[in-house]
Amino acid sequence: MLLGKWKKMMLSLNATLQNVGRELAFERQARQQMEKHLPAKQGLITRQASKELEVAFFAYIGSIEQHLGAGQIVVFDKVITNIDSTGSIGGYHASTGVFTAPVDSLYVFYATLMAHNNHASHYLIVHENQSVATILVDGSNHWFDSASGSVVVVLSRGDTVSVKQLESGDHALQGAPIAGESSFSGFLLRQHFRGPAPIG
C-alpha cells in the first residue's frame, strides 16, 4: 500500500517537474525575444538622456552694491556656478545681472538679499520687465536684515529674469565679507514644458 502511494507521489512529482520545465522553456524563449529588442531600446534611452539639458547658475554680490535707484538691476558679480549645456544664448551674465533662457522650459529662481546697515527697500524678481515677486529688506534702525524670495516660471527661449530695485532713492545691499549675503540663483526644472497658459 505504501509502495502504491509512493509511486503515485513520484508520478505526480514527475508531472509537476515536466510542467515546470515547459514553463521555464517558454520563459527562456520569451526572454530571448525581448533581448533581441533590448539594444535598440537602450540606445533610444541613451539618446534621450543625452538630450536632457542642464541649465543652472548661482552668483552673489562681491562687495557692497551702493546707490541703487528705482528700476536698477542688481548685479551679482561673483559667479560660483553657471552651467548651460545648450551652448547657446542662455545663462547668467555677471556683467549685467540678467539670466537669459536658452530654451523653452520651466525654471526656478531664488534671490536672497541683505540690506546694508541703515537701508530698507523693496526688490523685485522680474521676468521680461514684469514683476513676479517682491522682497522687502528692512535694514533701518542701524540693523542689517535679509529676506528671500523664489519663483517658478515658464520661460520662452530668450526671455530674461533679473532682480531689480523698486523704489527711488539711495539704497545699498550688503556684499560678501564672507560669501553669499546677497545671492541670485536659478535652474531649469523641466525641459520643453507645455503646460496651460498662466492665469492673469
Side-chain angles (χ1 to χ4, degrees):
M1 189 149 186
L2 286 172
L3 189 58
K5 283 186 179 179
W6 185 80
K7 283 184 179 179
K8 283 183 183 178
M9 285 176 56
M10 289 302 292
L11 288 172
S12 175
L13 184 57
N14 224 2
T16 302
L17 287 173
Q18 287 178 358
N19 286 337
V20 169
R22 281 194 293 269
E23 287 177 13
L24 285 173
F26 176 76
E27 290 289 333
R28 191 179 302 113
Q29 288 176 351
R31 187 171 63 248
Q32 288 171 349
Q33 289 296 322
M34 279 179 36
E35 286 173 351
K36 288 180 182 177
H37 302 288
L38 192 57
K41 286 186 178 179
Q42 284 178 330
L44 177 62
I45 291 168
T46 303
R47 287 194 299 273
Q48 287 175 340
S50 68
K51 291 181 182 178
E52 288 298 319
L53 300 179
E54 295 178 338
V55 179
F57 74 94
F58 172 75
Y60 65 88
I61 295 174
S63 59
I64 297 171
E65 184 77 29
Q66 301 187 68
H67 312 301
L68 293 167
Q72 182 175 341
I73 294 174
V74 179
V75 177
F76 301 84
D77 58 324
K78 297 297 182 184
V79 177
I80 301 299
T81 304
N82 198 10
I83 300 167
D84 175 16
S85 65
T86 68
S88 64
I89 63 169
Y92 176 75
H93 301 280
S95 59
T96 63
V98 176
F99 171 83
T100 304
V103 290
D104 301 353
S105 291
L106 183 65
Y107 293 85
V108 179
F109 296 92
Y110 297 92
T112 297
L113 304 168
M114 178 179 280
H116 189 55
N117 194 14
N118 204 29
H119 285 269
S121 56
H122 285 88
Y123 295 88
L124 308 171
I125 299 178
V126 177
H127 167 217
E128 288 294 293
N129 294 317
Q130 183 174 0
S131 172
V132 290
T134 305
I135 304 169
L136 169 63
V137 189
D138 187 359
S140 58
N141 299 318
H142 303 286
W143 291 100
F144 290 89
D145 185 58
S146 64
S148 299
S150 61
V151 297
V152 181
V153 289
V154 177
L155 303 183
S156 298
R157 184 177 186 271
D159 280 4
T160 59
V161 175
S162 59
V163 177
K164 288 186 178 182
Q165 160 66 31
L166 175 61
E167 294 111 346
S168 58
D170 188 11
H171 300 281
L173 286 172
Q174 181 63 29
I178 303 171
E181 281 84 350
S182 295
S183 63
F184 184 35
S185 61
F187 60 90
L188 184 154
L189 180 64
R190 183 175 174 190
Q191 185 183 346
H192 303 301
F193 178 77
R194 290 291 181 268
I199 297 171

